[in-house]
Amino acid sequence: MMLKPNPTMPQEICDDLFRLKIPLPESPLKFLNCYVIKGASRSMIVDTGLNRTECLSAMRDGLDRIGVDLDRSDFFITHFHEDHFGLVGALVHKPCKVYFNCRDLKYIDLLDSLAPMIRSATRNGCPGKPLRELFAHRTGLGYGNNWRDCIKAIHDNDVVRVGNYRLRCIHTPGHSMGHTCLYDQQRRILLSGDHVLGDISPNITCWFEGIDPLKAYLQSLDKITPLPVSLVLPGHREPFRDLKPRLTALAHHHRSRLHEIMTILENNPWPHTAFDVASKMKWDIDADSWAEFPLLIKFFATGEAVAHLRYLVNDGRLCHIDMAPVSTYAIDG
């Protein structure tokens, strides 16, 4: 009898470069792609998974199978979202380096309580009390401070060398404002984190003032377009090869979203919260109506609506009416 392949087994992508599938319990994403580059003296682990026992067990098992010693490993974190760096505190062994982009460092402390994002979501129309109750019971938070002394801040075009790999850091803001990809020019490999995913659109949300993440994201798509890439290794789902058509499709998706929002507000010409706008947008969710969406999905949808509304305001097509206790948007003029 032929045995089925174990989907959790490490996959060797090419010489000394492996993929570990770290489970993401209760997430529609199913798993995180953790990439491990083996070197003779030190190895590097790219992204880690959530701060949960299931993730820690899968990580330790995968590293054992490919013969990587945590005592001789460094880490590279593509961005500050908890499914990518949440486990790092349980894995670090001093002395080690945690390569982390300088733009996202300031947001790490905010994630421990999520209070600033909840306040922003409430101001944008989300139901405050249910949202606070939802996040109060959420697991996977509490990242610890033991790894912060190991951080080595990285910048655009910095180079990280691991074994036979020379990896250029490419700052690609949008999904987070410090999101950073890794590019091996010799092998034409792009470790894209959550900047480019093969069959789903990365969530572009906005909860903080003074940033325009959608504009940054579209510019970041343009930034990596000229790169000669033969293989894309994303943070979720499967690796893929056709980068340029995927970049075009992602840009088209967001421009279609902008058109959709303008149509919603043109047909309903009064001030709307981002939550109101999100409730009228089309979402690829297995539910018959917005009322049936889980609250967490409504939270992310509202954040995405805010990002697109912010872009339209900065582009002069909408006006932003920021009056306590809510923030609203309407057709300019």
Side-chain angles (χ1 to χ4, degrees), residues 221-233:
L221 293 179
D222 290 340
K223 181 177 183 177
I224 65 171
T225 297
L227 295 179
V229 173
S230 298
L231 179 64
V232 181
L233 302 180

Side-chain angles (χ1 to χ4, degrees), residues 168-227:
R168 179 159 65 92
C169 301
I170 303 178
H171 180 218
T172 49
H175 182 67
S176 83
M177 293 311 289
H179 188 290
T180 303
C181 299
L182 287 172
Y183 177 58
D184 185 295
Q185 183 174 357
Q186 178 183 347
R187 296 169 180 83
R188 296 160 65 111
I189 293 175
L190 179 71
L191 282 75
S192 66
D194 281 3
H195 179 51
V196 184
L197 304 175
D199 59 355
I200 53 176
S201 175
N203 191 237
I204 309 301
T205 61
C206 183
W207 297 121
F208 304 107
E209 295 300 321
I211 59 174
D212 190 340
L214 180 57
K215 181 179 180 179
Y217 182 71
L218 294 173
Q219 291 173 340
S220 294
L221 293 179
D222 290 340
K223 181 177 183 177
I224 65 171
T225 297
L227 295 179

Side-chain angles (χ1 to χ4, degrees), residues 40-98:
S41 58
R42 297 194 69 79
S43 300
M44 188 169 76
I45 298 165
V46 180
D47 291 338
T48 66
L50 295 163
N51 182 26
R52 294 184 56 145
T53 55
E54 302 97 320
C55 299
L56 181 59
S57 176
M59 177 68 76
R60 291 191 181 280
D61 179 69
L63 294 177
D64 286 344
R65 289 177 184 272
I66 62 177
V68 168
D69 184 355
L70 276 172
D71 288 335
R72 296 191 298 118
S73 296
D74 298 312
F75 298 84
F76 185 97
I77 306 301
T78 58
H79 61 293
F80 81 105
H81 293 164
E82 62 190 10
D83 56 330
H84 289 257
F85 86 92
L87 193 60
V88 69
L91 297 172
V92 294
H93 286 66
K94 296 181 179 179
C96 79
K97 296 185 182 70
V98 179

Side-chain angles (χ1 to χ4, degrees), residues 32-173:
L32 168 92
N33 289 324
C34 165
Y35 298 100
V36 183
I37 303 171
K38 291 182 66 174
S41 58
R42 297 194 69 79
S43 300
M44 188 169 76
I45 298 165
V46 180
D47 291 338
T48 66
L50 295 163
N51 182 26
R52 294 184 56 145
T53 55
E54 302 97 320
C55 299
L56 181 59
S57 176
M59 177 68 76
R60 291 191 181 280
D61 179 69
L63 294 177
D64 286 344
R65 289 177 184 272
I66 62 177
V68 168
D69 184 355
L70 276 172
D71 288 335
R72 296 191 298 118
S73 296
D74 298 312
F75 298 84
F76 185 97
I77 306 301
T78 58
H79 61 293
F80 81 105
H81 293 164
E82 62 190 10
D83 56 330
H84 289 257
F85 86 92
L87 193 60
V88 69
L91 297 172
V92 294
H93 286 66
K94 296 181 179 179
C96 79
K97 296 185 182 70
V98 179
Y99 296 98
F100 201 96
N101 70 80
C102 56
R103 290 287 301 274
D104 278 352
L105 283 173
K106 63 182 179 181
Y107 293 112
I108 295 177
D109 290 326
L110 299 178
L111 284 176
D112 278 325
S113 69
L114 298 178
M117 284 190 287
I118 292 173
R119 285 195 298 270
S120 179
T122 302
R123 191 169 182 79
N124 279 283
C126 287
K129 183 178 179 182
L131 203 57
R132 288 190 293 272
E133 292 173 350
L134 173 69
F135 284 115
H137 296 94
R138 196 171 180 199
T139 60
L141 303 180
Y143 309 104
N145 294 308
N146 61 309
W147 60 280
R148 302 193 188 194
D149 291 340
C150 301
I151 289 175
K152 179 175 175 56
I154 55 170
H155 304 80
D156 193 31
N157 285 319
D158 282 354
V159 173
V160 179
R161 290 180 170 84
V162 188
N164 294 320
Y165 287 77
R166 183 182 186 276
L167 302 160
R168 179 159 65 92
C169 301
I170 303 178
H171 180 218
T172 49

